[in-house]
Structure formats: structure tokens, C-alpha cells
């Protein structure tokens, strides 16, 4: 069974440019998460979806970050404009209701 | 607010030696505690959760509510145990909202 799929795996952009990350969760998982992991830190939740509804986006910096999960399956996380401090790993994860959370390999962003 | 503290960034042990990765937490209720592991070039994955009370790959962890700890232990370290270990907490009945510690890098030397 395919796990959580993320793309791109690596992205280098100049500051002030936009960037988007895509995630395809495990089939049948209704809960999808985006986590941010800075160097030397543990993952921090940015947003959690139950189907297509964002049920927890309190940690998402809404001035420059946005996310969507229009059909309750795939999701996209966007940053516009990117800042130097956004350089990090963006992790997508999914689970069934109350089940084990499975992580993707992450999208590594470098803003120069 | 909930918080997870892993005091050691790096723990180095010799093969065959006992391992203990420390985790302390701060939470006002009864949390669910987890250990996640990330092997080199692999994705983050669940190692064990306290409600399962199981041993995975020889690792065990006991929730000590008095000391608010959930230390990960293994009696005899193996080379393949070298990895990054994260302790995580979720609110009671909220297994979906994880708060992670900063992680401990375990290095098992021959």
C-alpha cells in the first residue's frame, strides 16, 4: 500500500516568491495534517482537516500561508510570499478517525 | 498548554548497553503518549503508544503520571536502533492532535 505521498521533495526559491506543496494521503484516511519541522525541532501542527473541513488551523500563519483540501482527498499548502524563515521541512500526514498518524517523507524548502 | 520535553539532543551508547531516552510532559489532564522514530532517510513513523502497553523492537515505555514522564527503554541496544526519536503527546481522546518534543538522536556505537 502506498503511504502518504508528497511533492516536491525539495524546493529552492528566492524570498518573496510563492511556493506550493502537494499531498496525497493514504486511501480512506479522512484526517489530513500539515506539520512544519524546523531544523533541530520536532514537528509542529499547522493545520488539520477532517475530510474537506479545516478543523484546526490555529497555528497556520494566515497572512502568508494557505491550505486547501477541496474534495476531501488531496491537499495543497501554499506560501506567498515566502520569507527566509520559512526554510524548513513541511510534513503531510494522514490518519483514519482516531487512528495512527502516518507521515509522508516531507517537502524540504530552502528560501534564499 | 501542553508541552513535551526531551532533555537530551544526542545520546550515544555502545552496542549491547541499555538505552533510556527521556521524555517529560506537561499537561493538565490524562494525556496519550507516543514515541515516534525516524531512521536515516526514512519517514517519521510510530514506534509505540502507551495505551497499547506493548514492546516494539525491544523498546518499552511506561507512563509515570506522578513524575509526568514517558521514558523509552531498551535493555540491549542494537546498531539498527540508531535513529532520531521523538516523544509526542495528545490530549485525552484527542489522538489526532500531537505535540512533539524536540527529539533525541540515538547513536549506537560498535
Amino acid at each position: 500500500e502506498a503511504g502518504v505521498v508528497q511533492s516536491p521533495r525539495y524546493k529552492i526559491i528566492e524570498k518573496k516568491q510563492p511556493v506550493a506543496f502537494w499531498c496525497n494521503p493514504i486511501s480512506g484516511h479522512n484526517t489530513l495534517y500539515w506539520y512544519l519541522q524546523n531544523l533541530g525541532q520536532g514537528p509542529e501542527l499547522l493545520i488539520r482537516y477532517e475530510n474537506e473541513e479545516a478543523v484546526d488551523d490555529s497555528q497556520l500563519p494566515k497572512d502568508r500561508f494557505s491550505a486547501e483540501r477541496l474534495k476531501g482527498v488531496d491537499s495543497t499548502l501554499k506560501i506567498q510570499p515566502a520569507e527566509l524563515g520559512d526554510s524548513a521541512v513541511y510534513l503531510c500526514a494522514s490518519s483514519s478517525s482516531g487512528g495512527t498518524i502516518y507521515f509522508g517523507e516531507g517537502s524540504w524548502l530552502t528560501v534564499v | 498548554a501542553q508541552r513535551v520535553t526531551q532533555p537530551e539532543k544526542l545520546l550515544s551508547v555502545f552496542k549491547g548497553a541499555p538505552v533510556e531516552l527521556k521524555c517529560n510532559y506537561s499537561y493538565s489532564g490524562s494525556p496519550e503518549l507516543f514515541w515516534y522514530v525516524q531512521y536515516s532517510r526514512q519517514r517519521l513513523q510510530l514506534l509505540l503508544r502507551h495505551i497499547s502497553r506493548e514492546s516494539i523492537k525491544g523498546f518499552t515505555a511506561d507512563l509515570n503520571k506522578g513524575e509526568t514522564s514517558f521514558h523509552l527503554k531498551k535493555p540491549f541496544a542494537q546498531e539498527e536502533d540508531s535513529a532520531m526519536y521523538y516523544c509526542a503527546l495528545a490530549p485525552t481522546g484527542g489522538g489526532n492532535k500531537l505535540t512533539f518534543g524536540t527529539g533525541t538522536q540515538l547513536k549506537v556505537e560498535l
Side-chain angles (χ1 to χ4, degrees), chain A residues 4 33 35 37 40-43 48 50 56 95 98 100-101 103-105, chain B residues 9 36 38 41 43-46 49 86 95-103:
Chain A
V4 177
Y33 317 76
Y35 280 85
Q37 187 170 20
Q41 301 295 316
R48 174 167 65 98
E50 294 287 348
D56 185 351
S95 71
T100 298
I101 298 176
F103 286 83
E105 294 181 294
Chain B
K9 289 189 92 59
Y36 277 77
Q38 188 167 24
R41 302 182 186 280
R43 63 188 69 198
L44 192 62
Q45 58 186 287
L46 179 67
R49 55 197 304 175
Y86 293 95
N96 287 358
K97 187 167 184 176
L98 293 173
T99 296
F100 285 87
T102 52

PDB file of all heavy atoms in Angstrom, chain A residues 4 33 35 37 40-43 48 50 56 95 98 100-101 103-105, chain B residues 9 36 38 41 43-46 49 86 95-103:
ATOM      1  N   VAL A   4       1.750   8.027   2.494  1.00  0.00           N
ATOM      2  CA  VAL A   4       1.443   9.420   2.205  1.00  0.00           C
ATOM      3  C   VAL A   4       2.480   9.929   1.201  1.00  0.00           C
ATOM      4  O   VAL A   4       3.685   9.776   1.420  1.00  0.00           O
ATOM      5  CB  VAL A   4       1.477  10.268   3.486  1.00  0.00           C
ATOM      6  CG1 VAL A   4       1.231  11.727   3.159  1.00  0.00           C
ATOM      7  CG2 VAL A   4       0.455   9.745   4.493  1.00  0.00           C
ATOM      8  N   TYR A  33      -3.138  16.168   7.859  1.00  0.00           N
ATOM      9  CA  TYR A  33      -2.412  17.150   8.651  1.00  0.00           C
ATOM     10  C   TYR A  33      -1.260  17.738   7.837  1.00  0.00           C
ATOM     11  O   TYR A  33      -0.632  17.040   7.051  1.00  0.00           O
ATOM     12  CB  TYR A  33      -1.778  16.497   9.895  1.00  0.00           C
ATOM     13  CG  TYR A  33      -2.631  15.525  10.646  1.00  0.00           C
ATOM     14  CD1 TYR A  33      -2.857  14.243  10.161  1.00  0.00           C
ATOM     15  CD2 TYR A  33      -3.202  15.863  11.864  1.00  0.00           C
ATOM     16  CE1 TYR A  33      -3.619  13.325  10.860  1.00  0.00           C
ATOM     17  CE2 TYR A  33      -3.963  14.954  12.576  1.00  0.00           C
ATOM     18  CZ  TYR A  33      -4.165  13.687  12.055  1.00  0.00           C
ATOM     19  OH  TYR A  33      -4.926  12.791  12.756  1.00  0.00           O
ATOM     20  N   TYR A  35       2.297  19.553   8.941  1.00  0.00           N
ATOM     21  CA  TYR A  35       3.189  19.905  10.031  1.00  0.00           C
ATOM     22  C   TYR A  35       4.381  20.682   9.470  1.00  0.00           C
ATOM     23  O   TYR A  35       4.830  20.441   8.350  1.00  0.00           O
ATOM     24  CB  TYR A  35       3.731  18.654  10.733  1.00  0.00           C
ATOM     25  CG  TYR A  35       2.802  18.014  11.726  1.00  0.00           C
ATOM     26  CD1 TYR A  35       1.830  17.104  11.306  1.00  0.00           C
ATOM     27  CD2 TYR A  35       2.899  18.298  13.086  1.00  0.00           C
ATOM     28  CE1 TYR A  35       0.985  16.500  12.226  1.00  0.00           C
ATOM     29  CE2 TYR A  35       2.060  17.690  14.004  1.00  0.00           C
ATOM     30  CZ  TYR A  35       1.101  16.791  13.555  1.00  0.00           C
ATOM     31  OH  TYR A  35       0.258  16.206  14.475  1.00  0.00           O
ATOM     32  N   GLN A  37       8.394  21.426  10.320  1.00  0.00           N
ATOM     33  CA  GLN A  37       9.512  20.997  11.146  1.00  0.00           C
ATOM     34  C   GLN A  37      10.740  21.849  10.839  1.00  0.00           C
ATOM     35  O   GLN A  37      11.340  21.748   9.778  1.00  0.00           O
ATOM     36  CB  GLN A  37       9.838  19.515  10.921  1.00  0.00           C
ATOM     37  CG  GLN A  37      10.896  19.002  11.885  1.00  0.00           C
ATOM     38  CD  GLN A  37      11.073  17.502  11.848  1.00  0.00           C
ATOM     39  OE1 GLN A  37      10.696  16.842  10.888  1.00  0.00           O
ATOM     40  NE2 GLN A  37      11.634  16.942  12.901  1.00  0.00           N
ATOM     41  N   GLY A  40      16.287  20.950  13.908  1.00  0.00           N
ATOM     42  CA  GLY A  40      16.538  20.713  15.326  1.00  0.00           C
ATOM     43  C   GLY A  40      15.304  20.740  16.202  1.00  0.00           C
ATOM     44  O   GLY A  40      15.415  20.710  17.434  1.00  0.00           O
ATOM     45  N   GLN A  41      14.142  20.781  15.583  1.00  0.00           N
ATOM     46  CA  GLN A  41      12.897  20.825  16.340  1.00  0.00           C
ATOM     47  C   GLN A  41      12.006  19.651  15.961  1.00  0.00           C
ATOM     48  O   GLN A  41      12.208  19.005  14.938  1.00  0.00           O
ATOM     49  CB  GLN A  41      12.157  22.134  16.050  1.00  0.00           C
ATOM     50  CG  GLN A  41      12.937  23.384  16.390  1.00  0.00           C
ATOM     51  CD  GLN A  41      13.208  23.507  17.870  1.00  0.00           C
ATOM     52  OE1 GLN A  41      12.328  23.277  18.695  1.00  0.00           O
ATOM     53  NE2 GLN A  41      14.435  23.847  18.230  1.00  0.00           N
ATOM     54  N   GLY A  42      11.012  19.410  16.787  1.00  0.00           N
ATOM     55  CA  GLY A  42      10.014  18.421  16.443  1.00  0.00           C
ATOM     56  C   GLY A  42       8.954  19.039  15.539  1.00  0.00           C
ATOM     57  O   GLY A  42       8.855  20.263  15.419  1.00  0.00           O
ATOM     58  N   PRO A  43       8.159  18.202  14.898  1.00  0.00           N
ATOM     59  CA  PRO A  43       7.091  18.737  14.038  1.00  0.00           C
ATOM     60  C   PRO A  43       6.070  19.545  14.840  1.00  0.00           C
ATOM     61  O   PRO A  43       5.766  19.210  15.980  1.00  0.00           O
ATOM     62  CB  PRO A  43       6.453  17.474  13.467  1.00  0.00           C
ATOM     63  CG  PRO A  43       7.482  16.405  13.609  1.00  0.00           C
ATOM     64  CD  PRO A  43       8.222  16.741  14.857  1.00  0.00           C
ATOM     65  N   ARG A  48      -5.140  20.952  10.435  1.00  0.00           N
ATOM     66  CA  ARG A  48      -5.701  19.600  10.406  1.00  0.00           C
ATOM     67  C   ARG A  48      -7.060  19.640   9.716  1.00  0.00           C
ATOM     68  O   ARG A  48      -7.894  20.499  10.016  1.00  0.00           O
ATOM     69  CB  ARG A  48      -5.851  19.060  11.826  1.00  0.00           C
ATOM     70  CG  ARG A  48      -6.554  17.706  11.925  1.00  0.00           C
ATOM     71  CD  ARG A  48      -6.359  17.114  13.317  1.00  0.00           C
ATOM     72  NE  ARG A  48      -7.007  17.907  14.358  1.00  0.00           N
ATOM     73  CZ  ARG A  48      -8.188  17.647  14.879  1.00  0.00           C
ATOM     74  NH1 ARG A  48      -8.902  16.645  14.420  1.00  0.00           N
ATOM     75  NH2 ARG A  48      -8.657  18.398  15.850  1.00  0.00           N
ATOM     76  N   GLU A  50     -10.542  17.435   8.657  1.00  0.00           N
ATOM     77  CA  GLU A  50     -11.420  16.277   8.733  1.00  0.00           C
ATOM     78  C   GLU A  50     -12.238  16.317   7.452  1.00  0.00           C
ATOM     79  O   GLU A  50     -13.087  17.184   7.275  1.00  0.00           O
ATOM     80  CB  GLU A  50     -12.332  16.346   9.963  1.00  0.00           C
ATOM     81  CG  GLU A  50     -11.624  16.255  11.280  1.00  0.00           C
ATOM     82  CD  GLU A  50     -11.102  14.854  11.590  1.00  0.00           C
ATOM     83  OE1 GLU A  50     -11.479  13.897  10.886  1.00  0.00           O
ATOM     84  OE2 GLU A  50     -10.293  14.730  12.522  1.00  0.00           O
ATOM     85  N   ASP A  56      -8.739  22.577  12.613  1.00  0.00           N
ATOM     86  CA  ASP A  56      -7.768  23.206  13.497  1.00  0.00           C
ATOM     87  C   ASP A  56      -6.725  23.882  12.632  1.00  0.00           C
ATOM     88  O   ASP A  56      -5.859  23.224  12.070  1.00  0.00           O
ATOM     89  CB  ASP A  56      -7.120  22.163  14.414  1.00  0.00           C
ATOM     90  CG  ASP A  56      -6.181  22.803  15.457  1.00  0.00           C
ATOM     91  OD1 ASP A  56      -5.904  24.013  15.360  1.00  0.00           O
ATOM     92  OD2 ASP A  56      -5.725  22.075  16.351  1.00  0.00           O
ATOM     93  N   SER A  95      -4.539  10.087   8.754  1.00  0.00           N
ATOM     94  CA  SER A  95      -5.000   9.023   9.636  1.00  0.00           C
ATOM     95  C   SER A  95      -6.483   8.785   9.399  1.00  0.00           C
ATOM     96  O   SER A  95      -7.193   9.635   8.871  1.00  0.00           O
ATOM     97  CB  SER A  95      -4.766   9.398  11.111  1.00  0.00           C
ATOM     98  OG  SER A  95      -5.652  10.420  11.519  1.00  0.00           O
ATOM     99  N   GLY A  98      -9.104   8.902  14.729  1.00  0.00           N
ATOM    100  CA  GLY A  98      -8.522   8.377  15.959  1.00  0.00           C
ATOM    101  C   GLY A  98      -7.451   7.334  15.763  1.00  0.00           C
ATOM    102  O   GLY A  98      -6.947   6.771  16.730  1.00  0.00           O
ATOM    103  N   THR A 100      -3.777   5.655  13.961  1.00  0.00           N
ATOM    104  CA  THR A 100      -2.360   6.017  13.888  1.00  0.00           C
ATOM    105  C   THR A 100      -2.128   7.047  12.787  1.00  0.00           C
ATOM    106  O   THR A 100      -2.698   6.952  11.702  1.00  0.00           O
ATOM    107  CB  THR A 100      -1.513   4.767  13.595  1.00  0.00           C
ATOM    108  OG1 THR A 100      -1.687   3.839  14.669  1.00  0.00           O
ATOM    109  CG2 THR A 100      -0.035   5.121  13.473  1.00  0.00           C
ATOM    110  N   ILE A 101      -1.284   8.021  13.102  1.00  0.00           N
ATOM    111  CA  ILE A 101      -0.940   9.057  12.134  1.00  0.00           C
ATOM    112  C   ILE A 101       0.266   8.589  11.333  1.00  0.00           C
ATOM    113  O   ILE A 101       1.298   8.220  11.903  1.00  0.00           O
ATOM    114  CB  ILE A 101      -0.641  10.382  12.839  1.00  0.00           C
ATOM    115  CG1 ILE A 101      -1.896  10.869  13.582  1.00  0.00           C
ATOM    116  CG2 ILE A 101      -0.175  11.428  11.837  1.00  0.00           C
ATOM    117  CD1 ILE A 101      -1.681  12.123  14.398  1.00  0.00           C
ATOM    118  N   PHE A 103       3.052   9.546   8.352  1.00  0.00           N
ATOM    119  CA  PHE A 103       3.686  10.717   7.782  1.00  0.00           C
ATOM    120  C   PHE A 103       4.231  10.455   6.390  1.00  0.00           C
ATOM    121  O   PHE A 103       4.639   9.338   6.064  1.00  0.00           O
ATOM    122  CB  PHE A 103       4.838  11.193   8.681  1.00  0.00           C
ATOM    123  CG  PHE A 103       4.383  11.875   9.930  1.00  0.00           C
ATOM    124  CD1 PHE A 103       4.016  11.158  11.050  1.00  0.00           C
ATOM    125  CD2 PHE A 103       4.306  13.259   9.976  1.00  0.00           C
ATOM    126  CE1 PHE A 103       3.585  11.798  12.198  1.00  0.00           C
ATOM    127  CE2 PHE A 103       3.881  13.914  11.120  1.00  0.00           C
ATOM    128  CZ  PHE A 103       3.511  13.184  12.235  1.00  0.00           C
ATOM    129  N   GLY A 104       4.262  11.525   5.600  1.00  0.00           N
ATOM    130  CA  GLY A 104       4.964  11.490   4.338  1.00  0.00           C
ATOM    131  C   GLY A 104       6.445  11.739   4.548  1.00  0.00           C
ATOM    132  O   GLY A 104       6.897  11.941   5.679  1.00  0.00           O
ATOM    133  N   GLU A 105       7.193  11.740   3.446  1.00  0.00           N
ATOM    134  CA  GLU A 105       8.637  11.943   3.539  1.00  0.00           C
ATOM    135  C   GLU A 105       9.011  13.409   3.713  1.00  0.00           C
ATOM    136  O   GLU A 105      10.147  13.709   4.041  1.00  0.00           O
ATOM    137  CB  GLU A 105       9.311  11.367   2.301  1.00  0.00           C
ATOM    138  CG  GLU A 105       9.179   9.839   2.215  1.00  0.00           C
ATOM    139  CD  GLU A 105       9.867   9.294   0.984  1.00  0.00           C
ATOM    140  OE1 GLU A 105       9.403   9.600  -0.136  1.00  0.00           O
ATOM    141  OE2 GLU A 105      10.848   8.555   1.140  1.00  0.00           O
TER     142      GLU A 105
ATOM    143  N   LYS B   9      19.687  16.027  23.369  1.00  0.00           N
ATOM    144  CA  LYS B   9      19.649  16.126  21.913  1.00  0.00           C
ATOM    145  C   LYS B   9      20.351  14.924  21.293  1.00  0.00           C
ATOM    146  O   LYS B   9      19.993  14.480  20.213  1.00  0.00           O
ATOM    147  CB  LYS B   9      20.324  17.412  21.446  1.00  0.00           C
ATOM    148  CG  LYS B   9      19.540  18.661  21.764  1.00  0.00           C
ATOM    149  CD  LYS B   9      20.121  19.869  21.109  1.00  0.00           C
ATOM    150  CE  LYS B   9      19.537  20.180  19.761  1.00  0.00           C
ATOM    151  NZ  LYS B   9      18.115  20.415  19.751  1.00  0.00           N
ATOM    152  N   TYR B  36       7.711   8.317  18.474  1.00  0.00           N
ATOM    153  CA  TYR B  36       7.900   8.205  17.035  1.00  0.00           C
ATOM    154  C   TYR B  36       9.394   8.074  16.756  1.00  0.00           C
ATOM    155  O   TYR B  36      10.230   8.599  17.495  1.00  0.00           O
ATOM    156  CB  TYR B  36       7.356   9.436  16.310  1.00  0.00           C
ATOM    157  CG  TYR B  36       5.872   9.385  16.045  1.00  0.00           C
ATOM    158  CD1 TYR B  36       4.951   9.635  17.058  1.00  0.00           C
ATOM    159  CD2 TYR B  36       5.389   9.062  14.782  1.00  0.00           C
ATOM    160  CE1 TYR B  36       3.590   9.580  16.819  1.00  0.00           C
ATOM    161  CE2 TYR B  36       4.029   9.011  14.526  1.00  0.00           C
ATOM    162  CZ  TYR B  36       3.140   9.264  15.551  1.00  0.00           C
ATOM    163  OH  TYR B  36       1.788   9.192  15.299  1.00  0.00           O
ATOM    164  N   GLN B  38      12.498   8.125  13.565  1.00  0.00           N
ATOM    165  CA  GLN B  38      12.851   8.439  12.184  1.00  0.00           C
ATOM    166  C   GLN B  38      14.244   7.894  11.903  1.00  0.00           C
ATOM    167  O   GLN B  38      15.242   8.429  12.398  1.00  0.00           O
ATOM    168  CB  GLN B  38      12.800   9.937  11.923  1.00  0.00           C
ATOM    169  CG  GLN B  38      12.963  10.291  10.458  1.00  0.00           C
ATOM    170  CD  GLN B  38      12.606  11.733  10.165  1.00  0.00           C
ATOM    171  OE1 GLN B  38      12.663  12.596  11.042  1.00  0.00           O
ATOM    172  NE2 GLN B  38      12.217  12.018   8.928  1.00  0.00           N
ATOM    173  N   ARG B  41      17.080   8.695   6.386  1.00  0.00           N
ATOM    174  CA  ARG B  41      16.491   8.704   5.048  1.00  0.00           C
ATOM    175  C   ARG B  41      15.119   8.049   4.984  1.00  0.00           C
ATOM    176  O   ARG B  41      14.663   7.643   3.920  1.00  0.00           O
ATOM    177  CB  ARG B  41      17.425   8.061   4.032  1.00  0.00           C
ATOM    178  CG  ARG B  41      18.780   8.729   3.946  1.00  0.00           C
ATOM    179  CD  ARG B  41      19.653   8.090   2.886  1.00  0.00           C
ATOM    180  NE  ARG B  41      20.994   8.631   2.880  1.00  0.00           N
ATOM    181  CZ  ARG B  41      21.346   9.765   2.320  1.00  0.00           C
ATOM    182  NH1 ARG B  41      20.439  10.483   1.685  1.00  0.00           N
ATOM    183  NH2 ARG B  41      22.581  10.197   2.362  1.00  0.00           N
ATOM    184  N   ARG B  43      10.875   8.076   6.592  1.00  0.00           N
ATOM    185  CA  ARG B  43       9.860   8.969   7.140  1.00  0.00           C
ATOM    186  C   ARG B  43       9.632   8.705   8.623  1.00  0.00           C
ATOM    187  O   ARG B  43       9.974   7.649   9.147  1.00  0.00           O
ATOM    188  CB  ARG B  43       8.556   8.803   6.364  1.00  0.00           C
ATOM    189  CG  ARG B  43       7.920   7.439   6.460  1.00  0.00           C
ATOM    190  CD  ARG B  43       6.753   7.325   5.497  1.00  0.00           C
ATOM    191  NE  ARG B  43       7.185   7.313   4.104  1.00  0.00           N
ATOM    192  CZ  ARG B  43       6.387   7.571   3.080  1.00  0.00           C
ATOM    193  NH1 ARG B  43       5.120   7.858   3.283  1.00  0.00           N
ATOM    194  NH2 ARG B  43       6.835   7.529   1.842  1.00  0.00           N
ATOM    195  N   LEU B  44       9.066   9.689   9.266  1.00  0.00           N
ATOM    196  CA  LEU B  44       8.708   9.578  10.667  1.00  0.00           C
ATOM    197  C   LEU B  44       7.616   8.506  10.824  1.00  0.00           C
ATOM    198  O   LEU B  44       6.646   8.479  10.075  1.00  0.00           O
ATOM    199  CB  LEU B  44       8.178  10.935  11.139  1.00  0.00           C
ATOM    200  CG  LEU B  44       7.982  11.196  12.609  1.00  0.00           C
ATOM    201  CD1 LEU B  44       9.293  11.097  13.367  1.00  0.00           C
ATOM    202  CD2 LEU B  44       7.365  12.586  12.803  1.00  0.00           C
ATOM    203  N   GLN B  45       7.797   7.619  11.800  1.00  0.00           N
ATOM    204  CA  GLN B  45       6.818   6.540  11.974  1.00  0.00           C
ATOM    205  C   GLN B  45       6.592   6.263  13.456  1.00  0.00           C
ATOM    206  O   GLN B  45       7.477   6.477  14.281  1.00  0.00           O
ATOM    207  CB  GLN B  45       7.284   5.262  11.270  1.00  0.00           C
ATOM    208  CG  GLN B  45       8.638   4.746  11.736  1.00  0.00           C
ATOM    209  CD  GLN B  45       9.112   3.569  10.908  1.00  0.00           C
ATOM    210  OE1 GLN B  45       8.597   2.468  11.036  1.00  0.00           O
ATOM    211  NE2 GLN B  45      10.096   3.817  10.058  1.00  0.00           N
ATOM    212  N   LEU B  46       5.404   5.784  13.747  1.00  0.00           N
ATOM    213  CA  LEU B  46       5.044   5.463  15.128  1.00  0.00           C
ATOM    214  C   LEU B  46       5.834   4.247  15.606  1.00  0.00           C
ATOM    215  O   LEU B  46       5.887   3.224  14.930  1.00  0.00           O
ATOM    216  CB  LEU B  46       3.547   5.182  15.229  1.00  0.00           C
ATOM    217  CG  LEU B  46       3.040   4.808  16.618  1.00  0.00           C
ATOM    218  CD1 LEU B  46       3.161   5.980  17.577  1.00  0.00           C
ATOM    219  CD2 LEU B  46       1.585   4.335  16.529  1.00  0.00           C
ATOM    220  N   ARG B  49       2.789   3.379  21.509  1.00  0.00           N
ATOM    221  CA  ARG B  49       1.890   4.291  22.220  1.00  0.00           C
ATOM    222  C   ARG B  49       1.576   3.676  23.565  1.00  0.00           C
ATOM    223  O   ARG B  49       1.493   2.442  23.680  1.00  0.00           O
ATOM    224  CB  ARG B  49       0.624   4.554  21.414  1.00  0.00           C
ATOM    225  CG  ARG B  49      -0.128   3.304  21.003  1.00  0.00           C
ATOM    226  CD  ARG B  49      -1.117   3.586  19.875  1.00  0.00           C
ATOM    227  NE  ARG B  49      -2.067   4.629  20.163  1.00  0.00           N
ATOM    228  CZ  ARG B  49      -2.953   5.108  19.291  1.00  0.00           C
ATOM    229  NH1 ARG B  49      -2.977   4.613  18.067  1.00  0.00           N
ATOM    230  NH2 ARG B  49      -3.790   6.065  19.624  1.00  0.00           N
ATOM    231  N   TYR B  86      11.336  10.805  18.722  1.00  0.00           N
ATOM    232  CA  TYR B  86      10.502  11.917  19.179  1.00  0.00           C
ATOM    233  C   TYR B  86       9.422  11.395  20.121  1.00  0.00           C
ATOM    234  O   TYR B  86       8.707  10.450  19.785  1.00  0.00           O
ATOM    235  CB  TYR B  86       9.816  12.607  18.003  1.00  0.00           C
ATOM    236  CG  TYR B  86      10.744  13.337  17.068  1.00  0.00           C
ATOM    237  CD1 TYR B  86      11.222  12.716  15.917  1.00  0.00           C
ATOM    238  CD2 TYR B  86      11.137  14.648  17.327  1.00  0.00           C
ATOM    239  CE1 TYR B  86      12.066  13.371  15.049  1.00  0.00           C
ATOM    240  CE2 TYR B  86      11.992  15.326  16.458  1.00  0.00           C
ATOM    241  CZ  TYR B  86      12.444  14.687  15.329  1.00  0.00           C
ATOM    242  OH  TYR B  86      13.284  15.348  14.475  1.00  0.00           O
ATOM    243  N   GLY B  95      -6.385  11.820  20.048  1.00  0.00           N
ATOM    244  CA  GLY B  95      -5.202  11.218  19.467  1.00  0.00           C
ATOM    245  C   GLY B  95      -4.756  11.840  18.177  1.00  0.00           C
ATOM    246  O   GLY B  95      -3.701  11.527  17.669  1.00  0.00           O
ATOM    247  N   ASN B  96      -5.545  12.727  17.655  1.00  0.00           N
ATOM    248  CA  ASN B  96      -5.205  13.350  16.388  1.00  0.00           C
ATOM    249  C   ASN B  96      -4.388  14.621  16.514  1.00  0.00           C
ATOM    250  O   ASN B  96      -3.924  15.130  15.513  1.00  0.00           O
ATOM    251  CB  ASN B  96      -6.489  13.671  15.618  1.00  0.00           C
ATOM    252  CG  ASN B  96      -7.131  12.413  15.066  1.00  0.00           C
ATOM    253  OD1 ASN B  96      -6.607  11.330  15.233  1.00  0.00           O
ATOM    254  ND2 ASN B  96      -8.260  12.565  14.434  1.00  0.00           N
ATOM    255  N   LYS B  97      -4.245  15.185  17.681  1.00  0.00           N
ATOM    256  CA  LYS B  97      -3.541  16.451  17.821  1.00  0.00           C
ATOM    257  C   LYS B  97      -2.274  16.230  18.634  1.00  0.00           C
ATOM    258  O   LYS B  97      -2.291  16.295  19.857  1.00  0.00           O
ATOM    259  CB  LYS B  97      -4.423  17.496  18.483  1.00  0.00           C
ATOM    260  CG  LYS B  97      -3.798  18.881  18.488  1.00  0.00           C
ATOM    261  CD  LYS B  97      -4.807  19.950  18.854  1.00  0.00           C
ATOM    262  CE  LYS B  97      -4.154  21.321  18.749  1.00  0.00           C
ATOM    263  NZ  LYS B  97      -5.119  22.415  19.011  1.00  0.00           N
ATOM    264  N   LEU B  98      -1.195  15.987  17.943  1.00  0.00           N
ATOM    265  CA  LEU B  98       0.065  15.662  18.584  1.00  0.00           C
ATOM    266  C   LEU B  98       0.922  16.893  18.841  1.00  0.00           C
ATOM    267  O   LEU B  98       1.043  17.760  17.975  1.00  0.00           O
ATOM    268  CB  LEU B  98       0.864  14.690  17.718  1.00  0.00           C
ATOM    269  CG  LEU B  98       0.303  13.281  17.549  1.00  0.00           C
ATOM    270  CD1 LEU B  98       1.131  12.505  16.537  1.00  0.00           C
ATOM    271  CD2 LEU B  98       0.301  12.545  18.882  1.00  0.00           C
ATOM    272  N   THR B  99       1.525  16.923  20.028  1.00  0.00           N
ATOM    273  CA  THR B  99       2.572  17.887  20.331  1.00  0.00           C
ATOM    274  C   THR B  99       3.859  17.099  20.500  1.00  0.00           C
ATOM    275  O   THR B  99       3.921  16.178  21.323  1.00  0.00           O
ATOM    276  CB  THR B  99       2.256  18.657  21.623  1.00  0.00           C
ATOM    277  OG1 THR B  99       1.070  19.421  21.437  1.00  0.00           O
ATOM    278  CG2 THR B  99       3.405  19.590  21.978  1.00  0.00           C
ATOM    279  N   PHE B 100       4.878  17.462  19.728  1.00  0.00           N
ATOM    280  CA  PHE B 100       6.127  16.715  19.726  1.00  0.00           C
ATOM    281  C   PHE B 100       7.187  17.390  20.588  1.00  0.00           C
ATOM    282  O   PHE B 100       7.208  18.621  20.740  1.00  0.00           O
ATOM    283  CB  PHE B 100       6.681  16.619  18.306  1.00  0.00           C
ATOM    284  CG  PHE B 100       5.967  15.641  17.418  1.00  0.00           C
ATOM    285  CD1 PHE B 100       4.844  16.021  16.706  1.00  0.00           C
ATOM    286  CD2 PHE B 100       6.423  14.340  17.297  1.00  0.00           C
ATOM    287  CE1 PHE B 100       4.179  15.123  15.881  1.00  0.00           C
ATOM    288  CE2 PHE B 100       5.776  13.432  16.471  1.00  0.00           C
ATOM    289  CZ  PHE B 100       4.647  13.823  15.769  1.00  0.00           C
ATOM    290  N   GLY B 101       8.092  16.584  21.107  1.00  0.00           N
ATOM    291  CA  GLY B 101       9.308  17.099  21.704  1.00  0.00           C
ATOM    292  C   GLY B 101      10.316  17.436  20.620  1.00  0.00           C
ATOM    293  O   GLY B 101      10.045  17.255  19.422  1.00  0.00           O
ATOM    294  N   THR B 102      11.480  17.886  21.033  1.00  0.00           N
ATOM    295  CA  THR B 102      12.495  18.303  20.069  1.00  0.00           C
ATOM    296  C   THR B 102      13.327  17.147  19.542  1.00  0.00           C
ATOM    297  O   THR B 102      14.125  17.331  18.630  1.00  0.00           O
ATOM    298  CB  THR B 102      13.424  19.356  20.691  1.00  0.00           C
ATOM    299  OG1 THR B 102      13.921  18.843  21.930  1.00  0.00           O
ATOM    300  CG2 THR B 102      12.690  20.658  20.938  1.00  0.00           C
ATOM    301  N   GLY B 103      13.144  15.975  20.126  1.00  0.00           N
ATOM    302  CA  GLY B 103      13.823  14.803  19.596  1.00  0.00           C
ATOM    303  C   GLY B 103      15.160  14.519  20.249  1.00  0.00           C
ATOM    304  O   GLY B 103      15.842  15.417  20.736  1.00  0.00           O
TER     305      GLY B 103
END
